[in-house]
């Protein structure tokens, strides 16, 4: 199966392996250090939650369930992802667009330190039980004002780093006016523009609404508006996680399996569609709440379904790449060609398992977004099961698969056979643990078990007791899955230590697929960022202006802070 | 931009499925009235005792088999914390919050909605089986969140 009729005289196997400039490598690597420290703390938080919720252990009095839940969510969903993504971006942009200028690299360091300071302050406040408000920090529960200030620092720091990366990309574009930009830069840019436009929502609610209120400067907060601004940010946040994972699928995995990407234009189109449609969809997290009319909820439901399309495009492109490569290597049969893929190479295997998991995970996402059907699963464990498949498996396994080569590239070490073997075992453990935990969570959710809730039998009500008594669908299965996942998490942390500090010095390949053969034919409009940002803004204004206007004009009296409820 | 034949088939199938799903949801919602709970009434959450609807929360009978349950969610319980209706009754729940965000959720039914302070949310349900139904809060509302519950006693006649 050939994508285009362009004559191939492109020797895609003979690209020189340009390494990352060590100064840029260092900047990338510090992000990865922070990511894995946050990861291992977050993993143990998850273990304690699973065991406590299953009624198997009792937490000590000085450690609250919701405190650990906050730490788990913030450290894994916000800190691990953001830092490892920026590490990947700095390394990849240096490789594909050349070494950063010292000014831009300095900007990157400033962004890193601001994010780090924000992360440390937030973590300390969570550990002091001053901010047990979960990573969604819904008002009018109120944590310490410094917690919100710290979150604002993380966002602002990430913007500063984004400016460094975007400037680097646009400098390349300016220097090469007639060429389509390298795919890595194009995709990084789409992801970062999405992140900045989406971040405006959370920055607005934190800086304008919550901080003055938590400091006592204002007495009331508009709860619905704050939730809406949060979810204006919260849904694109998940695309901020998935798009870098897709970058690994589009740009790294083809090289690892010895092939080339199917199509450049389709890859660009997919990322443009993510930029356009992943923001004006936040109401699908608010389908069950009052104050937003059915009409606007349905409008955003439609837009939510549109954002499935780029994932369909991606699924086709990636599997077409697999088949094309396998057949070129002599693979035969309708599905027999699958055997020629490099199953023993964790750089392929871990992201591949992530892709497989994304099939049920994506289907579950469509169910969640299905308007009135959401009442069956809203705020139940089903949702927790869902995002432990999407971000917790698809995205994380892809990032793990990336870490195996990225860390030794950046530290000048060799990706050893030992690390590869540990990686394969790690991937299996993660998948098995997640199958038990997330599978049980999905079914428990259908039986009504709530999310974000400590161990409770509700006065031994039979409805609640059945959540502990199922053969598979039980909090006990969740906890067993959690124990296996913890083992997998510890192994991953060991892999990180091994590759960052212990592996022998040497050369590791940065697997980056050359841009596909149809790249010169990329339509110019795909590179027109002003056009895409313009359309994205129009869609956002369409989906949000009237409902937000109504929320402000018809607002009920606001809410005072409730900080005594979290201690 | 060149699309491979298989890719066209795949996209037509995929986008067609999404359009079909949306049509089913839209018809159910706008033709048959099966909408997500999206009530627009607002109240003053800090002065519910002066609110005409919520100053005396509880159960009122509207007609032979229909009741209105006006309830206040508050950390960490509901007011009142128990209501009784005969089997076969339809109950319209009208719930608001006196403090933070809660939910009103009857596991095993489709009644599951958010209760945000300042807003009233609604759902209705017909109880065809007798028994003691559990109501829980499934939105984190503080350290005692997992204790927050009430009961609906559905009595056989």
């Amino acid at each position: 199966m050939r994508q285009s009729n362009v004559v191939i005289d492109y020797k895609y196997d003979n690209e020189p392996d340009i390494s990352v400039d060590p100064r840029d490598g260092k900047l990338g690597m510090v992000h990865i250090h922070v990511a894995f420290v946050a990861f291992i703390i977050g993993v143990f938080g998850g273990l304690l939650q699973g065991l406590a919720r299953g009624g198997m252990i009792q937490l000590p009095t000085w450690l609250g369930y919701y405190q650990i839940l906050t730490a788990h969510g913030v450290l894994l969903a916000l800190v691990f992802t953001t830092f490892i993504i920026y590490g990947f971006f700095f390394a990849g942009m240096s490789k594909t667009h050349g070494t950063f200028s010292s000014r831009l690299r300095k900007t990157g360091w400033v962004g890193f330190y601001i994010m780090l300071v924000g992360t440390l302050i937030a973590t300390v406040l969570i550990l002091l039980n001053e901010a047990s408000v979960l990573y969604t920090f819904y008002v009018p529960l109120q944590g310490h004002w410094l917690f919100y200030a710290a979150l604002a620092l993380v966002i602002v720091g990430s913007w500063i780093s984004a400016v460094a990366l975007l400037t680097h990309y646009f400098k390349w574009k300016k220097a090469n006016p007639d060429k389509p930009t390298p795919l890595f830069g194009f995709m990084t840019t789409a992801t970062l523009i999405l992140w900045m436009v989406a971040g405006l929502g959370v920055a607005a609610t934190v800086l304008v609404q919550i901080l003055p209120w938590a400091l006592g400067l204002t007495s009331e907060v508009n709860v619905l508006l704050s939730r809406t601004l949060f979810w204006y940010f919260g849904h694109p946040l998940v695309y901020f996680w998935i798009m870098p994972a897709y970058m690994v699928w589009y740009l790294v995995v083809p090289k690892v399996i010895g092939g080339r990407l199917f199509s450049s234009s389709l890859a660009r189109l997919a990322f443009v569609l993510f930029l356009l449609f992943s923001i004006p969809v936040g109401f699908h997290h608010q389908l069950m709440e009052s104050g937003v009319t059915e009409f606007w909820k349905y409008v955003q439901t439609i837009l939510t379904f549109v954002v499935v399309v780029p994932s369909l495009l991606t699924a086709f492109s990636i599997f077409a790449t697999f088949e094309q490569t396998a057949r070129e290597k002599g693979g035969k049969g309708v599905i027999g060609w699958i055997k020629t893929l490099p199953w023993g190479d964790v750089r392929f295997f871990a992201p591949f398992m992530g892709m497989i998991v994304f099939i049920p995970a994506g289907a579950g996402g469509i169910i969640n977004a299905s308007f009135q059907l959401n009442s069956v699963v809203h705020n139940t464990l089903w949702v927790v099961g869902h995002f432990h498949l999407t971000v917790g498996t698809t995205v994380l396994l892809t990032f793990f698969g990336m870490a195996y080569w990225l860390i030794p590239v950046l530290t000048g070490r060799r990706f050893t056979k030992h690390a590869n073997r540990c990686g394969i075992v790690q991937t299996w453990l993660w998948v098995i643990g997640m199958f038990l935990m997330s599978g049980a969570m999905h079914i428990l959710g259908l039986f009504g078990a709530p999310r974000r809730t400590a161990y409770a039998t509700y006065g031994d009500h039979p409805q609640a007791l059945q959540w502990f008594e199922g053969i598979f669908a039980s909090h006990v299965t969740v906890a067993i899955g959690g124990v296996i996942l913890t083992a997998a998490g510890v192994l991953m942390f060991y892999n990180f230590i091994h590759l960052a500090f212990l592996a022998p010095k040497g050369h590791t390949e940065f697997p980056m697929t050359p841009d596909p053969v149809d790249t010169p034919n990329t339509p110019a409009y795909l590179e027109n960022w002003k056009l895409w940002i313009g359309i994205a803004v129009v869609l956002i204004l369409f989906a949000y202006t009237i409902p937000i206007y109504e929320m402000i004009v018809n607002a009920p009296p606001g809410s005072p802070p409730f900080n005594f409820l979290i201690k | 931009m060149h699309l491979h034949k298989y890719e066209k088939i795949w996209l037509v199938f995929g986008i067609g499925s999404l359009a079909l799903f949306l049509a089913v949801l839209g018809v159910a919602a706008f033709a048959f009235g099966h909408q997500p709970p999206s009530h627009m009434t607002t109240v003053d959450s800090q002065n519910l005792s002066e609110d005409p609807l919520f100053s005396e929360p509880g159960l009122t009978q509207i007609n032979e088999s229909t009741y209105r349950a006006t309830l206040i969610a508050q950390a960490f319980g509901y007011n009142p914390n128990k209501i009784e209706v005969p089997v076969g009754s339809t109950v319209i729940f009208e719930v608001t919050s006196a403090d933070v965000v809660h939910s009103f959720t009857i596991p095993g039914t489709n009644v599951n909605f958010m209760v945000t302070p300042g807003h009233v949310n609604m759902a209705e349900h017909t109880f065809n089986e007798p028994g003691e139904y559990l109501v829980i809060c499934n939105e984190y509302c503080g350290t005692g969140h997992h204790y927050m519950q009430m009961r609906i006693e559905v009595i056989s006649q």
Side-chain angles (χ1 to χ4, degrees):
Chain A
M1 198 158 58
R2 271 264 136 86
Q3 164 59 14
S4 74
N5 301 321
V6 182
V7 180
I8 303 173
D9 53 4
Y10 196 75
K11 296 276 190 298
Y12 50 85
D13 286 337
N14 298 343
E15 281 280 297
D17 183 26
I18 308 161
S19 59
V20 179
D21 183 285
R23 291 163 300 172
D24 296 340
K26 201 175 155 202
L27 175 58
M29 193 60 208
V30 287
H31 287 89
I32 295 171
H33 281 289
V34 177
F36 276 100
V37 172
F39 170 76
I40 196 67
I41 304 173
V43 163
F44 279 100
L47 173 70
L48 291 177
Q49 272 164 251
L51 293 175
R53 171 116 197 219
M56 295 147 104
I57 60 164
Q58 220 170 357
L59 292 172
T61 47
W62 48 268
L63 193 61
Y65 179 85
Y66 301 106
Q67 187 184 1
I68 312 175
L69 186 54
T70 307
H72 180 74
V74 169
L75 289 174
L76 288 178
L78 299 180
V79 178
F80 174 78
T81 51
T82 307
F83 276 88
I84 202 165
I85 287 167
Y86 273 95
F88 177 48
F89 282 176
F90 276 111
M93 285 303 285
S94 177
K95 179 179 165 70
T96 54
H97 291 62
T99 306
F100 281 79
S101 71
S102 63
R103 220 181 94 232
L104 287 183
R105 192 179 309 113
K106 220 172 272 170
T107 312
W109 278 102
V110 170
F112 167 76
Y113 278 115
I114 294 179
M115 285 205 292
L116 181 64
V117 168
T119 301
L120 290 175
I121 296 175
T123 307
V124 167
L125 285 164
I126 294 168
L127 295 178
L128 292 173
N129 199 26
E130 289 288 339
S132 299
V133 289
L134 310 191
Y135 88 99
T136 43
F137 53 90
Y138 293 142
V139 292
L141 273 181
Q142 187 228 318
H144 198 286
W145 67 269
L146 256 176
F147 175 71
Y148 305 109
L151 291 180
L153 281 181
V154 174
I155 298 282
V156 170
S158 76
W159 285 352
I160 293 172
S161 295
V163 167
L165 289 158
L166 291 174
T167 310
H168 195 53
Y169 168 81
F170 282 104
K171 268 167 89 175
W172 191 99
K173 196 167 168 12
K174 210 172 164 193
N176 301 273
D178 302 323
K179 285 196 222 165
T181 51
L183 263 177
F184 191 95
F186 183 93
M187 293 174 159
T188 300
T189 301
T191 309
L192 290 174
I193 292 175
L194 171 92
W195 177 244
M196 294 176 94
V197 176
L200 292 174
V202 71
T205 187
V206 167
L207 295 175
V208 179
Q209 288 193 284
I210 302 179
L211 253 182
W213 169 80
L215 282 165
L217 302 173
T218 53
S219 55
E220 294 178 342
V221 68
N222 183 332
V223 173
L224 183 60
L225 180 63
S226 175
R227 294 170 65 80
T228 303
L229 289 170
F230 179 85
W231 283 115
Y232 163 93
F233 156 81
H235 197 74
L237 172 65
V238 312
Y239 285 91
F240 175 69
W241 302 328
I242 200 81
M243 286 161 78
Y246 279 6
M247 286 168 71
V248 174
W249 298 2
Y250 273 115
L251 302 176
V252 173
V253 171
K255 177 77 172 180
V256 169
I257 65 172
R260 86 194 118 80
L261 179 61
F262 194 60
S263 161
S264 161
S265 308
L266 286 172
R268 284 171 212 259
L269 178 67
F271 271 61
V272 164
L273 291 175
F274 282 129
L275 173 59
L276 298 185
F277 290 100
S278 69
I279 303 176
V281 298
F283 281 160
H284 75 239
H285 293 261
Q286 299 174 278
L287 288 170
M288 293 300 124
E289 67 195 65
S290 40
V292 182
T293 61
E294 295 91 344
F295 174 78
W296 289 108
K297 287 178 179 175
Y298 191 70
V299 165
Q300 294 208 7
T301 298
I302 295 172
L303 292 168
T304 305
F305 276 54
V306 176
V307 81
V308 178
V309 174
S311 283
L312 292 176
L313 281 171
T314 301
F316 189 89
S317 283
I318 301 302
F319 281 90
T321 301
F322 289 166
E323 182 174 353
Q324 181 176 262
T325 306
R327 290 200 188 284
E328 277 173 10
K329 296 191 166 204
K332 295 270 184 295
V334 179
I335 51 163
W337 54 267
I338 288 176
K339 283 181 290 197
T340 54
L341 293 171
W343 297 104
D345 185 342
V346 72
R347 299 173 306 164
F348 164 74
F349 182 64
F352 180 84
M353 293 308 270
M355 294 171 197
I356 294 301
V357 168
F358 206 50
I359 297 169
I366 295 174
I367 293 170
N368 299 342
S370 288
F371 207 49
Q372 64 281 70
L373 192 62
N374 183 253
S375 72
V376 181
V377 294
H378 180 73
N379 267 356
T380 68
L381 271 180
W382 165 284
V383 177
V384 187
H386 166 71
F387 65 70
H388 277 86
L389 291 185
T390 51
V391 64
T393 308
T394 301
V395 171
L396 254 68
L397 279 181
T398 302
F399 288 169
F400 294 164
M402 169 181 91
Y404 295 114
W405 54 263
L406 184 59
I407 295 171
V409 162
L410 299 182
T411 53
R413 293 176 191 275
R414 274 197 302 119
F415 170 48
T416 57
K417 272 195 172 149
H418 170 69
N420 188 62
R421 262 199 302 271
C422 288
I424 299 278
V425 173
Q426 200 282 336
T427 306
W428 275 117
L429 279 177
W430 196 270
V431 170
I432 293 165
M434 205 52 94
F435 172 77
L436 294 172
M437 188 183 87
S438 183
M441 281 176 165
H442 273 90
I443 302 171
L444 283 169
L446 292 179
F447 291 152
R451 71 184 283 199
R452 298 179 150 183
T453 301
Y455 174 75
T457 57
Y458 295 99
D460 289 340
H461 192 282
Q463 184 83 42
L465 287 179
Q466 69 165 359
W467 300 330
F468 293 88
E469 291 165 350
I471 293 170
F472 181 76
S474 159
H475 285 310
V476 178
T477 317
V478 172
I480 293 169
V483 170
I484 298 172
L485 281 165
T486 307
V490 170
L491 182 53
M492 190 63 220
F493 190 71
Y494 164 76
N495 292 340
F496 158 71
I497 297 287
H498 173 74
L499 291 169
F501 302 106
L502 307 175
K505 288 275 177 189
H507 176 76
T508 295
E509 178 202 15
F510 191 133
M512 179 69 70
T513 189
D515 282 358
V517 287
D518 71 336
T519 301
N521 304 357
T522 306
Y525 63 83
L526 281 174
E527 298 266 334
N528 188 343
W529 293 106
K530 282 184 196 140
L531 173 71
W532 302 129
I533 295 171
I535 297 178
V537 170
V538 168
L539 282 169
I540 291 165
L541 291 177
F542 163 66
Y544 272 115
T545 305
I546 294 175
I548 287 190
Y549 173 80
E550 283 175 351
M551 273 172 215
I552 294 170
V553 173
N554 301 328
S559 289
F562 292 90
N563 52 16
F564 57 94
L565 294 175
I566 61 168
K567 285 172 192 164
Chain B
M1 216 172 335
H2 175 83
L3 279 181
H4 193 279
K5 190 179 89 189
Y6 290 165
E7 177 141 33
K8 283 182 192 151
I9 295 170
W10 165 248
L11 285 179
V12 166
F13 170 75
I15 296 172
S17 309
L18 293 172
L20 178 69
F21 295 162
L22 278 172
V24 170
L25 300 175
V27 168
F30 294 98
F32 297 108
H34 190 178
Q35 297 277 10
S38 314
H39 203 52
M40 299 302 281
T41 304
T42 58
V43 291
D44 182 353
S45 65
Q46 297 312 297
N47 288 299
L48 291 178
S49 57
E50 289 157 31
D51 189 89
L53 196 58
F54 289 97
S55 54
E56 284 175 47
L59 192 71
T60 46
Q61 190 161 10
I62 299 174
N63 64 33
E64 202 184 333
S65 64
T66 312
Y67 294 80
R68 167 181 286 118
T70 316
L71 303 160
I72 297 175
Q74 187 166 10
F76 300 104
Y78 298 87
N79 179 17
N81 65 11
K82 189 170 193 177
I83 57 172
E84 281 185 15
V85 290
V87 71
S89 305
T90 299
V91 183
I92 301 167
F93 297 99
E94 292 187 331
V95 192
T96 193
S97 167
D99 43 39
V100 296
V101 181
H102 300 283
S103 93
F104 183 85
T105 303
I106 313 174
T109 72
N110 289 339
V111 178
N112 178 19
F113 57 80
M114 304 301 295
V115 183
T116 38
H119 297 266
V120 181
N121 215 351
M122 292 176 71
E124 66 171 64
H125 185 72
T126 303
F127 293 90
N128 289 322
E129 297 286 329
E132 188 196 53
Y133 287 74
L134 174 68
V135 178
I136 60 170
C137 170
N138 69 14
E139 181 60 84
Y140 170 62
C141 56
T143 46
H145 160 58
H146 48 290
Y147 300 117
M148 185 159 169
Q149 57 191 295
M150 68 171 279
R151 297 287 191 277
I152 300 166
E153 199 74 58
V154 178
I155 300 158
S156 49
Q157 286 165 317

